[in-house]
Amino acid sequence: MAGNFFTDISEDDKRTNVLSTISSPVWSDGSATLTAFYTSSVQSGSSGNYYYDIYNKAGSDSTRQVQFAVAYGHIEGSGSLSTSDGNNPSKAIYRQFRNICLQNPTSGTRFNFDGSSGGKTAGSRFEAEDIFVINVNRARYREKIDPGNWELHLSGSVQAKGAIGSTSNIIKLIDDSESTSDSTVKSSQRVFNIVSGSIAGGSTSIKTSGAAQSDGTNGSYGQFYPELGLMVLNAQAVSASLEVSGSSGIKLTRSGGANNNTSFELVEALQPDENGTGYFRARREEQIKSSHYFCRVTSDQYNYSQNPTYFTGSNAELQNPSFVQDPKAYITTVGLYNNNNELLAVAKLSQPLLKSKDREAVIKVRLDF
């Protein structure tokens, strides 16, 4: 029988370390949009003092997964669910994310929501004392959230407050990556303003820019850090925008001596609006290195099979006598080996490929890293 068990791949048939960028939905099961948001009673009793994990399915569903977490931070520790002298959870949250997001912060540094590029204007009057944080689960966003490709709706009319069907304010938040050329804080971490707008129809439509939003008394809506999977919201601006007839959709209780649950205010604002629909749409972006191998199968190669059904009898005679002069086989799998004949990777064909002395083939194998 003509043919080899192993065939060398020439250097001309190798194309390695090809870099490509792909975009895909952030949420579990390939979902592009979350329309319902669930918490866990178990988690709420432990780390719930600091943050709430948000799930894509109800607690009775064993397949549910954490999609992101929400938290409230106050520079002095107000608004926490539990209190202890000098160590309130909201103080820890504010300082933790200040250290993560801001360059060289001091004990008095505050988030600056002035609406300029990256919120870097010195002496701004929009240095916030409190923030809401949306922290997307790392397994969801992987390398980074795709700038200009997410949209979040917050509503002042929520199920938990029995207000579905009533008049409410709804704000639609996106980032301003499509309209700014200055997004760099440092090479590994970019920051964009969070603004009101929409990405419906596949294009970004900004309703109010960060600078215009800052012309009011509450500052811009916040800042977005794509490489960190973080959206840091200006609590005061969001609360004011969700106000309905003098009643705030998000209640900011800035009290250091009482048990408050301000983090859960944002959980409620995520819930279905007056139309009965919640909305958080996002895509992730990641770079993948690929190697391509062109496996060439000439006419005299791989025309026989090692499958036991190919042979018969104790002498291993061919099951089909015509295969003596005109052998045929089907290629279903390609294995890649190193120089020691150790199997490194296996590629499966989408369907069996007929091989005979009258047929040749080139099979392209791609490995993604």
Side-chain angles (χ1 to χ4, degrees):
M1 298 181 193
N4 301 314
F5 283 108
F6 301 101
T7 301
D8 290 334
I9 301 176
S10 69
E11 291 301 318
D12 291 338
D13 285 333
K14 299 176 184 177
R15 189 164 177 255
T16 59
N17 295 325
V18 179
L19 195 63
S20 59
T21 301
I22 63 171
S23 177
S24 58
V26 166
W27 313 123
S28 296
D29 304 322
S31 299
T33 306
L34 288 179
T35 57
F37 307 89
Y38 303 91
T39 57
S40 168
S41 59
V42 176
Q43 187 261 337
S44 300
S46 53
S47 55
N49 289 348
Y50 291 84
Y51 62 90
Y52 286 97
D53 283 328
I54 305 299
Y55 294 81
N56 58 332
K57 298 176 183 178
S60 58
D61 193 324
S62 61
T63 64
R64 72 179 190 153
Q65 294 179 307
V66 175
Q67 306 301 297
F68 59 94
V70 299
Y72 171 76
H74 189 281
I75 194 167
E76 299 297 339
S78 298
S80 297
L81 181 59
S82 64
T83 61
S84 59
D85 292 339
N87 293 305
N88 290 358
S90 64
K91 178 186 286 188
I93 290 294
Y94 193 101
R95 298 187 178 197
Q96 174 189 357
F97 287 100
R98 178 182 64 189
N99 291 337
I100 292 173
C101 298
L102 305 183
Q103 295 187 80
N104 304 318
T106 65
S107 59
T109 301
R110 299 188 179 194
F111 280 93
N112 186 357
F113 299 120
D114 67 350
S116 66
S117 297
K120 293 177 284 187
T121 302
S124 168
R125 61 192 177 99
F126 300 118
E127 294 181 343
E129 63 178 316
D130 50 0
I131 58 173
F132 284 110
V133 178
I134 296 176
N135 188 0
V136 179
N137 187 280
R138 184 58 184 265
R140 306 281 83 80
Y141 78 87
R142 298 180 184 174
E143 188 173 314
K144 61 186 172 185
I145 297 177
D146 191 2
N149 230 334
W150 66 270
E151 181 178 338
L152 170 66
H153 295 186
L154 298 177
S155 171
S157 171
V158 295
Q159 283 181 325
K161 296 179 180 178
I164 285 189
S166 65
T167 302
S168 68
N169 278 349
I170 299 172
I171 54 174
K172 301 178 180 181
L173 302 177
I174 61 174
D175 65 68
D176 66 352
S177 57
E178 295 294 325
S179 63
T180 180
S181 59
D182 181 13
S183 64
T184 303
V185 174
K186 49 189 176 182
S187 59
S188 62
Q189 180 178 308
R190 295 173 295 167
V191 57
F192 299 99
N193 290 308
I194 294 177
V195 298
S196 62
S198 175
I199 59 171
S203 60
T204 300
S205 175
I206 296 177
K207 180 180 179 182
T208 307
S209 68
Q213 176 70 25
S214 295
D215 288 340
T217 59
N218 301 304
S220 66
Y221 283 123
Q223 294 164 3
F224 165 56
Y225 299 82
E227 280 75 20
L228 299 177
L230 288 177
M231 298 159 193
V232 181
L233 301 176
N234 178 356
Q236 183 169 320
V238 170
S239 176
S241 294
L242 293 179
E243 186 174 293
V244 181
S245 301
S247 177
S248 177
I250 289 184
K251 184 179 180 181
L252 300 179
T253 306
R254 296 175 175 130
S255 171
N259 286 340
N260 305 125
N261 194 6
T262 310
S263 292
F264 201 73
E265 291 287 322
L266 185 60
V267 176
E268 291 184 327
L270 290 166
Q271 301 305 320
D273 56 30
E274 60 188 17
N275 298 315
T277 304
Y279 192 92
F280 194 176
R281 183 181 184 88
R283 296 183 68 84
R284 61 186 172 224
E285 186 178 84
E286 56 185 327
Q287 289 186 328
I288 292 180
K289 280 188 177 181
S290 301
S291 293
H292 303 268
Y293 299 92
F294 296 89
C295 304
R296 302 183 184 276
V297 187
T298 60
S299 61
D300 64 335
Q301 292 180 312
Y302 304 105
N303 295 319
Y304 296 90
S305 173
Q306 297 297 314
N307 193 307
T309 61
Y310 204 78
F311 306 93
T312 185
S314 58
N315 294 326
E317 297 176 350
L318 293 174
Q319 184 78 257
N320 190 330
S322 66
F323 285 177
V324 175
Q325 297 297 325
D326 187 20
K328 290 181 174 64
Y330 284 91
I331 300 174
T332 60
T333 306
V334 177
L336 297 182
Y337 294 77
N338 62 14
N339 291 333
N340 296 321
N341 293 337
E342 296 170 331
L343 182 63
L344 303 179
V346 174
K348 294 284 188 179
L349 276 66
S350 59
Q351 61 184 28
L353 176 65
L354 176 62
K355 182 65 182 67
S356 69
K357 290 184 177 181
D358 297 324
R359 301 169 67 97
E360 294 191 342
V362 178
I363 302 172
K364 178 183 176 182
V365 177
R366 187 184 77 184
L367 300 181
D368 293 332
F369 303 93

